[in-house]
Amino acid sequence: MSNSTPQEPQFDPQLLDSIKIVLCQTSHPGNIGAAARAMKTMGLKHLVLVKPKDYPSEEAMVRSSGALDVLENAQVVDTVEEALADCRLIIGTSSRNRALPWPLIEPREMGELIKEHVEARPVAIMFGRESTGLLNEELQLCHYHVNIPANPEYMSLNLASAVQLIAYEIRLASKMIAEIVRKDSQPVDAELGYDAQAESEHDKESEQLASFEEVDGLYNHLESTMNKTEFYNPEQPKLLPARIRRILAKARLNKGEVNILRGFLSSIDKYIKRHVK
Amino acid sequence: MSNSTPQEPQFDPQLLDSIKIVLCQTSHPGNIGAAARAMKTMGLKHLVLVKPKDYPSEEAMVRSSGALDVLENAQVVDTVEEALADCRLIIGTSSRNRALPWPLIEPREMGELIKEHVEARPVAIMFGRESTGLLNEELQLCHYHVNIPANPEYMSLNLASAVQLIAYEIRLASKMIAEIVRKDSQPVDAELGYDAQAESEHDKESEQLASFEEVDGLYNHLESTMNKTEFYNPEQPKLLPARIRRILAKARLNKGEVNILRGFLSSIDKYIKRHVK
């Protein structure tokens, strides 16, 4: 609390710029406009629309108020996979407890998570349909589910209001504390020789968090190899895809690790090819 | 963060019941309806309308969605003084720095303040006109001004969105700490029949974090299968064991997941046995 006019606090533009708001199959164009407005009030820019029902639309423009630029720059795609392709942290909004428990955070924790994990950007935050939310398949692509606390007797949070709350928490998290100096800003060690430097560049690349596309590729490879080796999970066969996805989500694999695991899968494929007629 | 389904936390009903949302001279009835909806999602009930321009209204009812009860119980008054009469803590929302500095808090501090000062209830939170906000005379009736952080280049927060954010902070502040009990510590539901119980016991067991021994067993199995399929990591062969161990550490596998992965490895072993002479 302050009795005098506080100085305008600074917000980390890189954090705000790293956020993609992904709206899946929105029915009402007015909600898209209102979501764009909600985003802009909190300094978010990147809107991705997956198969919107009725878009572009006059109503979206009207409801966006002064946030037409967010709408105009919105990316419209056909699949969730396209929307998430380059993202390194994927968070899905969910109001229900699903059959398969998933790492669950509150909006405030989400803000902290995004702030602390600079390496895990861009970040996608997915919002589902007005009526039914995100599908299970979509939720299983996420590293975390975020649950907005709400009145259990009336959880009918408007889509744009949900975007508003999430964007607000991101803005709060992006408030800069002067003392935070990032590790990346350290000078490169001048004593490293040429080869060592190249090696360390390689390590750096390999330690980078894998993108959604890379992890999704690993998942598909795994599934195909499992089919080849006739793997069948007797316990809960139907849940298998979701459980595999969850393991991958929890592991937060980096590029090098994805390469190792794909290499292992390839070794199985090749072994089978060589030995089995 | 919790990997298990947390029990619905409890929210202090007395705190939620002590809040009055006061909207001053709202122009658009749709905003009144949307504000009622925003309030209800967070468990707030008491809406007071000071000289609304166009009310009652069909549009307000439509936009209130399922929160008609909040609208129907709304108090409509002619003056701010009537609205505030029995209130012991008065907070005005304000986006601008006024000529006369006033005790200024952020929404989060506001929540704490309301929570801590039980003696200062009921609490009124005032929202101004869509275009011009609260008048100076109105702001000067307040104990505190609350300022919602926003993009300085675009502060155009919708009225209902502002109500949503304030109501959200109040809901968070009303969370009762003592009652937060995780699902794991709950007794098994006595009404569950035999099969369901066995199933849920199985789930519970399977969701339990794997022991070191179990994960180590998985690691050894993985290494042995990798040898069989002649997997060789060309990038950093020496680091391979450590990198595999790290993946397993990051994934925080539960018992069920260890079983799935071992099942997959066994399927490879058996496949090789069956097909390779």
Side-chain angles (χ1 to χ4, degrees), chain A residues 155-274:
Chain A
M155 319 252 279
S156 166
L157 197 69
N158 169 262
L159 176 62
S161 296
V163 171
Q164 184 76 67
L165 290 179
I166 294 292
Y168 164 74
E169 286 290 358
I170 291 170
R171 185 163 192 86
L172 288 191
S174 79
K175 207 188 258 184
M176 301 235 279
I177 301 162
E179 287 72 28
I180 297 180
V181 180
R182 299 288 180 194
K183 189 183 151 203
D184 355 26
S185 61
Q186 284 178 346
V188 174
D189 191 339
E191 284 184 31
L192 286 175
Y194 178 72
D195 280 351
Q197 191 165 352
E199 175 69 12
S200 110
E201 285 298 317
H202 169 77
D203 278 0
K204 226 169 151 185
E205 159 104 30
S206 140
E207 286 289 332
Q208 220 173 53
L209 264 191
S211 68
F212 169 78
E213 209 167 26
E214 288 159 336
V215 177
D216 201 44
L218 169 62
Y219 172 82
N220 290 325
H221 194 164
L222 186 57
E223 207 175 35
S224 121
T225 308
M226 281 179 165
N227 283 334
K228 274 189 214 162
T229 64
E230 293 152 29
F231 171 60
Y232 173 77
N233 178 33
E235 279 177 24
Q236 284 163 317
K238 272 190 218 152
L239 276 181
L240 184 63
R243 301 198 80 172
I244 299 283
R245 291 256 187 214
R246 189 176 62 171
I247 294 173
L248 295 179
K250 286 195 297 179
R252 309 300 329 273
L253 298 171
N254 62 37
K255 285 173 186 290
E257 290 164 343
V258 168
N259 287 341
I260 287 174
L261 294 174
R262 290 205 66 157
F264 171 49
L265 293 172
S266 295
S267 79
I268 304 170
D269 300 341
K270 284 182 207 153
Y271 188 88
I272 291 179
K273 231 187 196 156
R274 271 202 310 279

Side-chain angles (χ1 to χ4, degrees), chain B residues 147-182:
Chain B
N147 177 246
I148 297 174
N151 180 356
E153 284 154 33
Y154 182 74
M155 319 253 278
S156 167
L157 196 69
N158 169 262
L159 175 61
S161 296
V163 171
Q164 184 76 67
L165 290 178
I166 292 294
Y168 165 74
E169 286 291 359
I170 292 170
R171 186 164 191 85
L172 288 191
S174 79
K175 204 190 260 183
M176 303 214 319
I177 304 298
E179 281 72 18
I180 299 179
V181 180
R182 298 289 181 194

Side-chain angles (χ1 to χ4, degrees), chain B residues 184-251:
Chain B
D184 339 35
S185 59
Q186 283 182 327
V188 173
D189 190 339
E191 285 184 29
L192 287 175
Y194 176 73
D195 282 351
Q197 189 165 353
E199 175 69 12
S200 110
E201 284 299 318
H202 169 76
D203 279 1
K204 223 170 154 184
E205 159 104 31
S206 141
E207 289 288 332
Q208 223 171 53
L209 265 191
S211 68
F212 169 79
E213 206 169 26
E214 287 159 335
V215 178
D216 201 46
L218 170 63
Y219 173 81
N220 290 326
H221 194 165
L222 186 57
E223 207 176 35
S224 122
T225 308
M226 281 178 164
N227 283 335
K228 273 189 213 162
T229 64
E230 293 151 27
F231 171 60
Y232 172 78
N233 179 33
E235 279 178 23
Q236 285 164 315
K238 273 188 221 158
L239 275 180
L240 184 63
R243 301 196 81 174
I244 299 282
R245 292 250 186 220
R246 190 176 62 171
I247 294 173
L248 296 179
K250 285 196 298 179

Side-chain angles (χ1 to χ4, degrees), chain A residues 8-182:
Chain A
E8 193 64 48
Q10 296 296 309
F11 295 88
D12 179 354
Q14 282 176 331
L15 191 161
L16 295 172
D17 199 36
S18 75
I19 307 293
K20 288 189 190 188
I21 297 294
V22 180
L23 306 184
C24 298
Q25 299 196 320
T26 311
S27 301
H28 302 296
N31 284 335
I32 297 178
R37 178 176 177 181
M39 287 171 61
K40 191 169 178 184
T41 59
M42 297 296 145
L44 303 186
K45 293 179 204 160
H46 306 294
L47 176 61
V48 187
L49 306 171
V50 182
K51 277 208 167 198
K53 232 185 183 166
D54 177 13
Y55 189 84
S57 129
E58 178 73 23
E59 205 191 330
M61 285 164 61
V62 170
R63 287 286 295 282
S64 78
S65 197
L68 256 186
D69 52 337
V70 175
L71 271 194
E72 276 164 7
N73 294 322
Q75 200 189 341
V76 183
V77 297
D78 279 329
T79 66
V80 174
E81 284 75 9
E82 281 176 81
L84 304 178
D86 65 339
C87 294
R88 294 200 164 77
L89 178 60
I90 298 162
I91 299 170
T93 54
S94 166
S95 65
R96 277 160 293 169
N97 295 320
R98 309 285 169 152
L100 189 69
W102 214 260
L104 187 65
I105 52 179
E106 296 210 338
R108 194 146 303 170
E109 290 174 278
M110 176 207 68
E112 290 307 309
L113 195 77
I114 295 171
K115 181 183 198 155
E116 281 162 22
H117 293 276
V118 180
E119 77 288 359
R121 299 178 184 172
V123 178
I125 304 172
M126 287 209 283
F127 295 81
R129 295 139 198 85
E130 286 94 334
S131 47
T132 52
L134 289 169
L135 305 174
N136 282 332
E137 301 88 273
E138 290 162 348
L139 283 164
Q140 287 161 12
L141 301 177
C142 299
H143 297 105
Y144 294 93
H145 295 166
V146 61
N147 177 244
I148 297 175
N151 180 358
E153 283 153 34
Y154 183 74
M155 319 252 279
S156 166
L157 197 69
N158 169 262
L159 176 62
S161 296
V163 171
Q164 184 76 67
L165 290 179
I166 294 292
Y168 164 74
E169 286 290 358
I170 291 170
R171 185 163 192 86
L172 288 191
S174 79
K175 207 188 258 184
M176 301 235 279
I177 301 162
E179 287 72 28
I180 297 180
V181 180
R182 299 288 180 194

Side-chain angles (χ1 to χ4, degrees), chain B residues 115-126:
Chain B
K115 182 182 197 156
E116 282 162 22
H117 294 276
V118 180
E119 77 288 358
R121 297 179 186 170
V123 178
I125 304 172
M126 287 210 284

